[in-house]
Amino acid sequence: MAISEHATGSQTATISTEHTLNSTSPETTDGVYQLFIDVANMVAGDVLEIRIKEKCRTGDTIRQLLLSTLAGAQSDPLWASPSFVLMNGWDMTIKQTAGTGRAFPWSIRKVA
C-alpha cells in the first residue's frame, strides 16, 4: 500500500479558536490516517488541545474520536496520533487554550 502526505502546513494558534488542519471540512477521502504535530514551540503556561473527529455513518453527526491535551514544554516535541480508518466525514483540529499563540507545523499522513 502507498503511503503519502495527505496534507501539510503550519498553523499559528489563536487562543481559544479551534483550527481545522485538513483542507476540506469535513473531509470525506477515505483511508488510514495519522496526524503528526511539532510541539517544540510550547513553553510553560501553554495548553494545546488536539482533536480528531469522524462520522459513524455518512449522514450522521461528526463526533469527537480523540482528544489529547498537552500542557507546558514537551519532552517529546513531535506528537503523533494513533492511526485511524476514516471515511464518512472527518476533521483534525488544534485549539490552544492558554499561553501565547504558537506556530505548530503539522502533517496528515495516509495509507491507501
Side-chain angles (χ1 to χ4, degrees), residues 36-91:
F36 288 78
I37 302 176
D38 185 335
V39 294
N41 291 335
M42 291 182 70
V43 300
D46 289 347
V47 177
L48 181 68
E49 296 176 348
I50 303 164
R51 289 182 172 81
I52 297 178
K53 304 172 186 180
E54 166 71 306
K55 294 179 181 182
C56 187
R57 301 173 301 176
T58 302
D60 290 347
T61 300
I62 196 165
R63 307 271 187 210
Q64 185 170 288
L65 173 65
L66 173 81
L67 169 62
S68 184
T69 303
L70 307 178
Q74 299 297 300
S75 59
D76 296 320
L78 184 60
W79 180 92
S81 73
S83 296
F84 292 105
V85 176
L86 303 174
M87 61 187 282
N88 291 324
W90 54 271
D91 280 330

